[in-house]
Amino acid sequence: MRAFDKLAIDDREGAFEDVSKAIQINPNDDKYFAFRADIIIDTFDLDQEYLRSIKDLDNAIDIRDKDPLKTNDYDLFYSRAKYKLNLADYENALKDTKKALEIVNWDPLKIEQQCKEGILFEKDFKNKLYEIEKKFN
């Protein structure tokens, strides 16, 4: 996809336009929505853009839910939780984190390894997660 090449030369807006065109051509590909959500967050740092990214991730999750050959990978839920956390939507961020943790079978070592981006290391959010983990241990 040409969008990857544009990201490689730090043309984030060009990559965004290309992946948006790819979504218009194939609106049933969850990878495009997830990729665009990441580009949005890396390029624009406004609350409105977080909402747009959440909407793209909602679409990606819906597409995966409808396809029996695809699974709802934890990464979509973690990404969406991170964006909701940035909007101070702690309750829904926690719900998405719980869903992601269900997918990875609540393995704390695996969770730590796969979430180094920061979502579990946000102080308030981390405390809430530990409360959940205590309930299951």
Side-chain angles (χ1 to χ4, degrees), residues 8 14 21 37 45 90-91 100 104 109 111 117:
K21 288 177 187 173
D45 197 18
Y90 299 114
E91 183 178 341
V104 295
L109 295 176
I111 293 164
E117 292 178 58

Side-chain angles (χ1 to χ4, degrees), residues 42-59:
D42 290 341
T43 306
F44 313 100
D45 197 18
L46 304 171
D47 286 352
Q48 190 62 32
E49 302 309 328
Y50 285 116
L51 293 171
R52 285 176 56 188
S53 290
I54 290 168
K55 184 169 175 46
D56 274 352
L57 290 168
D58 291 343
N59 287 332

Side-chain angles (χ1 to χ4, degrees), residues 18-46:
D18 283 355
V19 78
S20 293
K21 288 177 187 173
I23 288 171
Q24 288 176 347
I25 294 167
N26 187 359
N28 295 317
D29 192 324
D30 56 282
K31 292 182 291 268
Y32 293 149
F33 285 102
F35 184 48
R36 186 171 70 177
D38 288 338
I39 293 171
I40 289 169
I41 293 305
D42 290 341
T43 306
F44 313 100
D45 197 18
L46 304 171

Side-chain angles (χ1 to χ4, degrees), residues 70-85:
K70 294 183 179 182
T71 60
N72 265 325
D73 295 331
Y74 72 93
D75 62 319
L76 295 178
F77 291 96
Y78 274 128
S79 294
R80 192 169 67 177
K82 181 173 55 175
Y83 304 149
K84 289 177 179 179
L85 183 63

